[in-house]
Amino acid sequence: MKPLHTKEVNSPILVVLPKFIGDAINTLPALKLLRQLYPAQKIVILANGAICELFKKVELANSETLSLNSFGKKKWSLDLIKALRKFEFALGFLFRGSLGDAILCKMAGIKTLIGYAQNGRSALLSHALPLNINQHYITRYCRLVNEPHGNPFKCFESPKLSHAHIERAFQSEQKVISVYMGSANKNNRYYPSHYAKEALLEISKHSVCSFNLLGSCDEAFENSQLCDLLKADNIAVTDLSGKTSITELVDTIAQSDLMISIDSGPMHIACATGVNCITLVGPGTSPWSCVQPVTPYCKPIFANPLLLNDSDKLSSISPSKLALLAINTLNSQNQGNSHDEYPIN
């Protein structure tokens, strides 16, 4: 593999991002390394509309986002190819393993293309790296930047998102807990409403708090069930299902004292904004070791690994165990115990 020389790059750089929020957040350390290597070159982020909105919360100098959604449903639309060609990209980095992305970049005239050797696309890449599926996603993305340049970096920083301050409309001593339990569309990652209700009720007995239920419009039914169950016990709760944009979601989570979530995009948002997040870990779309936020803010609580049926696993996390971890976390915060980032040597 011929090493890249930064002084030879005098035009913009394209980065193709993954389509899910959590994966996109995991690319942020790699983008920071890329910016360190190329402080003067424009970085263009190609992603779907939701990820482009998320990147309004990313501090990346001299960059712009290009939304795939603005070019219709066809991945290789002529308008998109023309738009990419106008930039005359010097480099392209593929942060997902799609063959289609590699073809698109070649049709856009990008000669120096970096990605992992997967899905039959090696011949299209100038720098095809072997993929180690046991590595964390962040490490995988950082390798795409580091190795083609001769490994100038020894480590990376945890992902970070910026956020706006939201004034609280209630007494300052009240704790705000954001909750994302998913819905039936999350399949085996959904934590049932009646279990969530028991946990949140127990937390409210030990702390003056209110709950924000987060989710998309598709998760409104399950959240409305949980909201009704909590209100029946006079618990302060607000159902925000489908009522926040991506940027508003980031700001809402960032102002929380605690996040309780399944393995999800909101979990990654919480950790990237410095909010303690209790994560219910069961069957996921990727191994937990590959996606767990690399920050002390993540506090995982694991399902029973001995169960054979995946649909039973997340329900094996007892509401009392979840509540106890939440109560202890809030008490620790009250005592002024905060978490520092992992040291960068």
Side-chain angles (χ1 to χ4, degrees), residues 38-331:
Y38 298 98
Q41 302 308 321
K42 171 173 279 190
I43 296 176
V44 177
I45 306 295
L46 182 64
N48 64 41
I51 301 303
C52 288
E53 185 179 358
L54 174 74
F55 264 66
K56 294 176 182 177
K57 297 296 186 181
V58 176
E59 295 178 354
L60 186 67
N62 193 18
S63 66
E64 70 173 86
T65 56
L66 191 62
S67 174
L68 283 165
N69 302 87
S70 19
F71 296 95
K73 295 182 179 180
K74 294 182 179 179
K75 181 178 288 188
W76 304 328
S77 72
L78 189 58
D79 288 341
L80 174 56
I81 294 169
K82 288 180 178 178
L84 293 175
R85 279 184 171 274
K86 288 180 181 178
F87 285 98
E88 298 182 346
F89 290 112
L91 305 173
F93 290 86
L94 304 181
F95 281 179
R96 58 183 176 187
S98 164
L99 173 62
D101 290 340
I103 295 174
L104 172 66
C105 289
K106 281 302 178 184
M107 294 175 72
I110 304 175
K111 295 180 180 179
T112 305
L113 196 58
I114 300 96
Y116 283 110
Q118 57 185 145
N119 298 325
R121 64 182 191 171
S122 295
L124 299 173
L125 305 177
S126 61
H127 297 70
L129 279 66
L131 175 65
N132 182 348
I133 61 172
N134 296 314
Q135 289 182 324
H136 195 285
Y137 275 58
I138 297 179
T139 304
R140 298 181 201 180
Y141 299 135
C142 288
R143 281 185 58 214
L144 287 175
V145 174
N146 199 39
E147 292 184 19
H149 291 92
N151 295 307
F153 302 105
K154 299 301 180 186
C155 56
F156 56 82
E157 295 183 14
S158 299
K160 290 182 176 62
L161 293 171
S162 63
H163 54 88
H165 179 71
I166 301 175
E167 289 293 335
R168 294 187 175 185
F170 38 78
Q171 62 266 37
S172 59
E173 68 270 16
Q174 187 180 53
K175 299 295 185 181
V176 177
I177 302 174
S178 290
V179 179
Y180 178 69
M181 296 302 188
S183 65
N185 68 354
K186 294 297 183 183
N187 299 318
N188 298 323
R189 283 186 289 162
Y190 171 53
Y191 193 64
S193 296
H194 60 283
Y195 287 136
K197 180 251 185 179
E198 288 184 43
L200 301 186
L201 180 60
E202 185 64 23
I203 294 168
S204 68
K205 291 178 181 178
H206 293 81
S207 176
V208 179
C209 62
S210 66
F211 300 99
N212 287 328
L213 305 185
L214 308 179
S216 65
C217 293
D218 294 336
E219 291 153 334
F221 175 73
E222 286 84 353
N223 270 350
S224 66
Q225 283 185 320
L226 179 55
C227 187
D228 290 343
L229 289 170
L230 292 171
K231 285 183 175 179
D233 281 290
N234 297 314
I235 304 300
V237 57
T238 302
D239 185 359
L240 296 176
S241 305
K243 298 176 182 177
T244 61
S245 65
I246 297 297
T247 52
E248 290 168 339
L249 179 65
V250 172
D251 293 340
T252 298
I253 292 174
Q255 299 302 317
S256 305
D257 294 287
L258 179 66
M259 178 86 197
I260 300 174
S261 176
I262 60 172
D263 175 6
S264 63
M267 169 195 72
H268 286 283
I269 291 173
C271 293
T273 54
V275 174
N276 281 321
C277 182
I278 295 174
T279 305
L280 286 69
V281 184
T285 54
S286 297
W288 175 247
S289 61
C290 293
V291 299
Q292 178 179 8
V294 286
T295 166
Y297 294 108
C298 182
K299 299 176 177 297
I301 180 169
F302 294 96
N304 184 348
L306 301 179
L307 296 173
L308 282 170
N309 192 339
D310 281 351
S311 63
D312 296 332
K313 286 185 177 178
L314 212 62
S315 298
S316 71
I317 298 175
S318 70
S320 59
K321 187 174 183 179
L322 171 56
L324 180 60
L325 180 55
I327 293 164
N328 288 339
T329 301
L330 291 171
N331 288 339

